[in-house]
Amino acid sequence: MTISGRISQSAFDGARLRVILLLDLYEGAQQQFLDAYEHMRNQVASVPGHISDQLCQSIENPSQWLITSEWESAPPFLAWVNSEEHVETVRPMHSCVRDTRSMRYSILRETSPSQPITSQPATEDMQVAARVGDGVVRHALTFTVKPGSESKVAEILAGYESPEAQVDEHTRLRRTSLFMHGNRVVRAVEVQGDLLVALRHVARQPEVRAVEEAINPYLEQDRDLSDPDSARVFFTRAALPAVHHVVSDRPRPADLRRHALYYPAKEGCGMDLARLLAHQDEIAADDPDSPVYGSTVFQRDNLVVRLIDMEGELDADPAASLGLKGMQQTAELERLLDGAAIGVEGSLETERNINRLLSHADMMPITDRSSAES
């Protein structure tokens, strides 16, 4: 089996996807849950890329349930799970469920009576190479604030006291990076261990709760974090999943700086834009002369954010900073990017427009905090 050390996370390996949802129901809520599930499965059955799903009940604890689904690949599932349609479809389940946990896996190997047992993938829709990472999970949240409140929100978000990094013996907060682009906030986190455990730990910290309460009046989307349903809907809509992470295998430079770049895609082109940037960053990781050492691409709907660790300033190499390498890739970015949304019109083959795109895409850093052992 080939092992890939540079790419630790990717939604673009082409493999079929297995999604596992663990649920713990309230006592007496089984029938209500079954009715909600019937509604959900009728909806998801028509979603492009969906293959099948199963509902299972524990033989040991009748309150514990499991939903598994199979998808042609990760992109169609991510498009569905991050859609407003999905938010509304699963809403009836909220009052039935005490706790949930979602896990997503690429299918590497498969055994069935009709297939011989070999060390190779049985079909072309399985991931060929296993990935080796550093045990770090990457995720981001994004939301918008009321126009005119940007400076106040930035002040609040920059001034909070960091929560305790060590969550338990297996989980640790490694890094939190906050950026703003206009009235949009992006908070990216890196967690060693269990992401869900870490997020719940952070949400319980008094200093974090105080910050969340302080920014509530400025949010464009109302929320009440004391109401579980309101909090669940807000964080579902705010989720900005990491779809690709790559890092160079050359020695880590000592003077890396973290930047975030904002790429609004044309309608329906978000996933293709994220895929293009991910591919470009894989090329950069193989280039010993590239200033970009590592990259994480986040994507939801038509919003793509690229977090990069690089040597030097962005404007020292605008094309590399933007993830541009070659005329064909530049033309593809131009085709997918909603340039008008960030004030860039015309061909990206001109130095002037590349510099203008970099200026508009560059997100304002608010805070970047690492734990002592990161």
Coordinates of all heavy atoms in Angstrom, one line a residue, residues 47-102:
V47 N -30.8 13.0 -3.6 CA -29.6 13.9 -3.6 C -28.5 13.3 -4.6 O -28.2 12.1 -4.4 CB -29.0 14.1 -2.2 CG1 -27.7 14.9 -2.3 CG2 -30.0 14.8 -1.3
P48 N -28.0 14.0 -5.5 CA -27.0 13.5 -6.4 C -25.8 13.0 -5.6 O -25.3 13.7 -4.7 CB -26.6 14.7 -7.3 CG -27.8 15.6 -7.2 CD -28.4 15.4 -5.9
G49 N -25.3 11.8 -6.0 CA -24.1 11.3 -5.3 C -24.4 10.3 -4.2 O -23.5 9.6 -3.7
H50 N -25.7 10.3 -3.7 CA -26.1 9.4 -2.6 C -26.3 8.0 -3.2 O -26.9 7.8 -4.2 CB -27.3 9.9 -2.0 CG -27.9 9.0 -0.9 ND1 -28.9 8.1 -1.2 CD2 -27.6 8.8 0.4 CE1 -29.2 7.4 -0.1 NE2 -28.4 7.8 0.9
I51 N -25.7 7.0 -2.5 CA -25.8 5.6 -2.9 C -26.9 4.9 -2.1 O -27.8 4.3 -2.6 CB -24.5 4.9 -2.9 CG1 -23.5 5.6 -3.9 CG2 -24.6 3.4 -3.3 CD1 -22.1 5.0 -3.8
S52 N -26.7 4.9 -0.8 CA -27.5 4.1 0.1 C -27.4 4.6 1.5 O -26.4 5.3 1.9 CB -27.2 2.6 0.0 OG -25.9 2.4 0.6
D53 N -28.3 4.2 2.4 CA -28.1 4.4 3.8 C -28.8 3.3 4.6 O -29.7 2.6 4.1 CB -28.7 5.8 4.2 CG -30.1 6.0 3.9 OD1 -31.0 5.5 4.7 OD2 -30.5 6.7 2.9
Q54 N -28.4 3.2 5.9 CA -29.0 2.2 6.8 C -29.3 2.8 8.1 O -28.5 3.6 8.6 CB -28.0 1.0 7.0 CG -27.8 0.1 5.7 CD -26.8 -1.0 6.0 OE1 -25.8 -0.8 6.7 NE2 -27.1 -2.2 5.5
L55 N -30.3 2.4 8.8 CA -30.7 2.8 10.1 C -30.5 1.6 11.0 O -31.1 0.5 10.7 CB -32.1 3.4 10.2 CG -32.6 3.7 11.6 CD1 -31.8 4.8 12.2 CD2 -34.1 4.1 11.6
C56 N -29.8 1.7 12.1 CA -29.5 0.6 13.0 C -29.8 1.0 14.4 O -29.5 2.1 14.8 CB -28.0 0.1 12.9 SG -27.4 -0.2 11.2
Q57 N -30.2 0.0 15.2 CA -30.5 0.2 16.6 C -29.6 -0.7 17.4 O -29.5 -1.9 17.1 CB -31.9 0.0 17.0 CG -32.3 0.3 18.4 CD -33.8 0.1 18.8 OE1 -34.5 -0.6 18.1 NE2 -34.2 0.8 19.8
S58 N -29.0 -0.2 18.5 CA -28.1 -1.1 19.3 C -28.9 -2.2 19.9 O -30.0 -2.1 20.3 CB -27.5 -0.2 20.4 OG -26.9 -1.0 21.4
I59 N -28.3 -3.4 19.9 CA -28.9 -4.6 20.5 C -28.7 -4.6 22.0 O -29.2 -5.4 22.7 CB -28.4 -5.9 19.9 CG1 -26.9 -6.0 20.2 CG2 -28.7 -6.0 18.4 CD1 -26.3 -7.4 19.7
E60 N -27.8 -3.7 22.5 CA -27.5 -3.6 23.9 C -28.2 -2.4 24.6 O -28.6 -2.5 25.8 CB -26.0 -3.5 24.1 CG -25.3 -4.7 23.6 CD -23.8 -4.4 23.5 OE1 -23.4 -3.2 23.4 OE2 -23.0 -5.4 23.6
N61 N -28.4 -1.3 23.9 CA -29.0 -0.1 24.5 C -29.9 0.5 23.5 O -29.5 1.1 22.5 CB -27.9 0.9 24.9 CG -28.5 2.1 25.6 OD1 -29.7 2.4 25.5 ND2 -27.6 2.9 26.2
P62 N -31.2 0.3 23.7 CA -32.2 0.8 22.7 C -32.2 2.3 22.5 O -32.9 2.7 21.5 CB -33.6 0.3 23.3 CG -33.3 0.1 24.7 CD -31.9 -0.3 24.9
S63 N -31.6 3.1 23.3 CA -31.5 4.5 23.1 C -30.4 4.9 22.1 O -30.3 6.0 21.7 CB -31.3 5.2 24.4 OG -32.4 5.1 25.2
Q64 N -29.5 3.9 21.8 CA -28.4 4.2 20.9 C -28.7 3.7 19.5 O -29.0 2.6 19.3 CB -27.1 3.6 21.4 CG -26.6 4.2 22.7 CD -25.4 3.5 23.3 OE1 -25.0 2.4 22.8 NE2 -24.8 4.1 24.3
W65 N -28.6 4.6 18.5 CA -28.9 4.4 17.1 C -27.7 4.7 16.3 O -26.8 5.5 16.7 CB -30.1 5.1 16.7 CG -31.4 4.7 17.4 CD1 -31.7 4.9 18.7 CD2 -32.5 4.1 16.8 NE1 -32.9 4.4 19.0 CE2 -33.4 3.9 17.8 CE3 -32.8 3.6 15.5 CZ2 -34.7 3.2 17.6 CZ3 -34.0 3.0 15.3 CH2 -34.9 2.8 16.3
L66 N -27.7 4.2 15.1 CA -26.6 4.4 14.1 C -27.2 4.6 12.7 O -28.1 3.8 12.3 CB -25.7 3.3 14.1 CG -24.6 3.2 13.0 CD1 -23.6 4.2 13.2 CD2 -23.9 1.8 13.0
I67 N -26.8 5.7 12.0 CA -27.2 5.8 10.6 C -25.9 5.8 9.8 O -25.0 6.6 10.1 CB -27.9 7.2 10.4 CG1 -29.2 7.2 11.2 CG2 -28.2 7.4 8.9 CD1 -30.0 8.6 11.1
T68 N -25.8 4.9 8.8 CA -24.7 4.9 7.9 C -25.2 5.2 6.5 O -26.3 4.8 6.1 CB -24.0 3.6 7.9 OG1 -24.8 2.6 7.3 CG2 -23.6 3.1 9.3
S69 N -24.4 5.9 5.8 CA -24.7 6.2 4.4 C -23.5 6.1 3.5 O -22.3 6.3 4.0 CB -25.4 7.6 4.2 OG -24.5 8.6 4.6
E70 N -23.7 5.8 2.3 CA -22.6 5.7 1.3 C -22.8 6.7 0.2 O -23.9 6.8 -0.3 CB -22.5 4.2 0.8 CG -21.2 4.0 0.0 CD -21.0 2.5 -0.4 OE1 -21.3 1.7 0.5 OE2 -20.6 2.2 -1.5
W71 N -21.7 7.3 -0.2 CA -21.8 8.3 -1.2 C -20.7 8.1 -2.3 O -19.7 7.4 -2.0 CB -21.5 9.7 -0.6 CG -22.6 10.1 0.4 CD1 -22.7 9.6 1.6 CD2 -23.6 11.0 0.2 NE1 -23.8 10.2 2.2 CE2 -24.4 11.0 1.4 CE3 -24.0 11.8 -0.9 CZ2 -25.5 11.9 1.5 CZ3 -25.1 12.6 -0.8 CH2 -25.9 12.6 0.4
E72 N -21.0 8.5 -3.5 CA -20.0 8.3 -4.6 C -18.7 8.9 -4.3 O -17.6 8.3 -4.7 CB -20.6 8.9 -5.9 CG -21.8 8.2 -6.4 CD -22.4 8.9 -7.6 OE1 -21.9 10.0 -8.1 OE2 -23.4 8.4 -8.2
S73 N -18.6 10.0 -3.6 CA -17.4 10.6 -3.2 C -17.7 11.7 -2.1 O -18.9 11.9 -1.8 CB -16.6 11.3 -4.4 OG -17.4 12.3 -5.0
A74 N -16.7 12.3 -1.6 CA -16.9 13.3 -0.5 C -17.6 14.6 -1.0 O -18.5 15.1 -0.3 CB -15.6 13.6 0.2
P75 N -17.3 15.1 -2.2 CA -17.9 16.4 -2.6 C -19.4 16.5 -2.6 O -20.0 17.4 -2.0 CB -17.3 16.7 -4.0 CG -15.9 16.1 -3.9 CD -16.1 14.8 -3.1
P76 N -20.1 15.5 -3.2 CA -21.6 15.6 -3.1 C -22.1 15.5 -1.7 O -23.1 16.2 -1.4 CB -22.0 14.4 -4.0 CG -20.9 13.5 -4.1 CD -19.7 14.3 -4.0
F77 N -21.5 14.7 -0.9 CA -22.0 14.7 0.5 C -21.8 16.0 1.2 O -22.7 16.5 1.9 CB -21.2 13.6 1.3 CG -21.5 13.7 2.8 CD1 -22.7 13.3 3.4 CD2 -20.5 14.2 3.6 CE1 -22.9 13.5 4.7 CE2 -20.7 14.4 5.0 CZ -21.9 14.0 5.5
L78 N -20.6 16.6 1.1 CA -20.3 17.9 1.7 C -21.3 19.0 1.2 O -21.7 19.8 1.9 CB -18.9 18.3 1.5 CG -17.8 17.4 2.2 CD1 -16.4 17.8 1.8 CD2 -18.0 17.5 3.7
A79 N -21.6 18.9 -0.1 CA -22.5 19.9 -0.7 C -23.9 19.7 0.0 O -24.6 20.7 0.3 CB -22.6 19.7 -2.2
W80 N -24.3 18.5 0.2 CA -25.6 18.2 0.8 C -25.6 18.6 2.3 O -26.5 19.3 2.8 CB -26.0 16.8 0.7 CG -26.9 16.2 1.7 CD1 -26.6 15.3 2.6 CD2 -28.3 16.5 1.8 NE1 -27.8 15.0 3.3 CE2 -28.8 15.7 2.9 CE3 -29.2 17.4 1.1 CZ2 -30.1 15.8 3.3 CZ3 -30.5 17.4 1.6 CH2 -31.0 16.6 2.6
V81 N -24.6 18.1 3.1 CA -24.6 18.3 4.5 C -24.5 19.8 4.9 O -24.9 20.2 6.0 CB -23.6 17.4 5.2 CG1 -22.2 18.0 5.1 CG2 -23.9 17.2 6.6
N82 N -23.9 20.6 4.0 CA -23.7 22.0 4.3 C -24.7 22.9 3.7 O -24.6 24.1 3.7 CB -22.3 22.5 3.8 CG -21.2 21.8 4.6 OD1 -21.3 21.6 5.8 ND2 -20.1 21.4 3.9
S83 N -25.8 22.3 3.1 CA -26.8 23.1 2.5 C -27.9 23.5 3.5 O -28.1 22.8 4.5 CB -27.4 22.3 1.3 OG -28.2 21.2 1.8
E84 N -28.6 24.5 3.1 CA -29.8 25.0 3.9 C -30.9 23.9 3.9 O -31.6 23.7 4.9 CB -30.3 26.3 3.4 CG -31.3 27.0 4.3 CD -30.7 27.4 5.6 OE1 -29.5 27.6 5.7 OE2 -31.5 27.4 6.6
E85 N -31.0 23.2 2.8 CA -32.0 22.1 2.7 C -31.7 21.0 3.7 O -32.6 20.5 4.4 CB -31.9 21.4 1.3 CG -32.9 20.3 1.1 CD -32.7 19.6 -0.3 OE1 -31.8 20.0 -1.0 OE2 -33.5 18.7 -0.6
H86 N -30.4 20.7 4.0 CA -30.1 19.7 5.0 C -30.4 20.2 6.4 O -31.0 19.5 7.2 CB -28.6 19.4 4.9 CG -28.1 18.4 6.0 ND1 -27.5 18.9 7.1 CD2 -28.2 17.1 6.1 CE1 -27.2 17.8 7.9 NE2 -27.6 16.8 7.3
V87 N -30.1 21.5 6.6 CA -30.5 22.1 7.9 C -32.0 21.9 8.3 O -32.3 21.5 9.4 CB -30.1 23.6 8.0 CG1 -30.6 24.2 9.3 CG2 -28.6 23.7 7.9
E88 N -32.8 22.2 7.3 CA -34.2 22.1 7.5 C -34.7 20.6 7.5 O -35.6 20.3 8.3 CB -35.0 22.8 6.4 CG -34.7 24.3 6.4 CD -35.1 25.0 7.7 OE1 -36.1 24.6 8.3 OE2 -34.3 25.9 8.2
T89 N -34.0 19.7 6.8 CA -34.5 18.3 6.7 C -34.2 17.7 8.1 O -35.0 16.8 8.5 CB -33.7 17.6 5.6 OG1 -34.0 18.2 4.3 CG2 -34.0 16.1 5.6
V90 N -33.1 17.9 8.7 CA -32.8 17.2 10.0 C -33.4 17.9 11.2 O -33.3 17.4 12.3 CB -31.3 17.1 10.1 CG1 -30.7 16.3 9.0 CG2 -30.6 18.4 10.3
R91 N -33.9 19.1 11.0 CA -34.4 19.9 12.2 C -35.4 19.0 13.0 O -35.4 19.1 14.3 CB -35.1 21.2 11.7 CG -35.4 22.1 12.9 CD -36.2 23.3 12.4 NE -35.4 24.2 11.6 CZ -34.7 25.2 12.0 NH1 -34.6 25.5 13.3 NH2 -34.0 26.0 11.2
P92 N -36.4 18.3 12.4 CA -37.3 17.5 13.3 C -36.6 16.5 14.2 O -37.2 16.0 15.2 CB -38.2 16.8 12.2 CG -38.1 17.6 11.0 CD -36.7 18.2 11.0
M93 N -35.4 16.1 13.9 CA -34.6 15.1 14.7 C -34.1 15.8 16.0 O -33.8 15.1 17.0 CB -33.5 14.5 13.9 CG -33.9 13.5 12.9 SD -32.4 12.7 12.3 CE -33.2 11.5 11.2
H94 N -33.9 17.1 16.0 CA -33.3 17.7 17.1 C -33.9 17.5 18.5 O -33.2 17.2 19.5 CB -33.2 19.2 16.9 CG -32.3 19.6 15.7 ND1 -32.2 20.9 15.3 CD2 -31.5 18.9 15.0 CE1 -31.4 20.9 14.2 NE2 -30.9 19.7 14.1
S95 N -35.2 17.5 18.5 CA -35.9 17.3 19.8 C -35.9 15.8 20.2 O -36.3 15.5 21.4 CB -37.4 17.8 19.7 OG -38.1 17.1 18.6
C96 N -35.4 14.9 19.4 CA -35.4 13.5 19.7 C -34.0 13.1 20.3 O -33.9 12.1 20.9 CB -35.7 12.6 18.5 SG -37.1 13.1 17.5
V97 N -33.0 13.8 19.9 CA -31.7 13.4 20.1 C -31.0 14.1 21.2 O -30.9 15.3 21.3 CB -30.9 13.6 18.8 CG1 -29.4 13.1 19.0 CG2 -31.5 12.8 17.7
R98 N -30.4 13.3 22.2 CA -29.6 13.9 23.3 C -28.2 14.2 22.8 O -27.7 15.2 23.2 CB -29.6 12.9 24.4 CG -28.8 13.3 25.6 CD -28.6 12.3 26.7 NE -29.9 11.9 27.3 CZ -30.6 10.8 27.1 NH1 -30.1 9.9 26.3 NH2 -31.7 10.6 27.7
D99 N -27.6 13.4 22.0 CA -26.3 13.6 21.6 C -26.0 13.0 20.2 O -26.7 11.9 19.9 CB -25.3 13.0 22.6 CG -23.8 13.5 22.4 OD1 -23.7 14.5 21.7 OD2 -22.9 12.8 22.8
T100 N -25.2 13.6 19.4 CA -24.8 13.0 18.1 C -23.3 13.1 17.9 O -22.6 13.9 18.5 CB -25.5 13.7 16.9 OG1 -25.1 15.1 16.9 CG2 -27.0 13.7 17.1
R101 N -22.9 12.2 17.0 CA -21.5 12.3 16.6 C -21.4 11.8 15.1 O -21.9 10.7 14.8 CB -20.6 11.4 17.5 CG -19.1 11.4 17.1 CD -18.3 10.5 18.0 NE -16.9 10.5 17.7 CZ -16.1 11.4 18.2 NH1 -16.5 12.4 19.0 NH2 -14.8 11.4 17.8
S102 N -20.8 12.6 14.3 CA -20.7 12.3 12.8 C -19.2 12.0 12.5 O -18.3 12.8 12.9 CB -21.2 13.5 12.0 OG -21.1 13.3 10.6

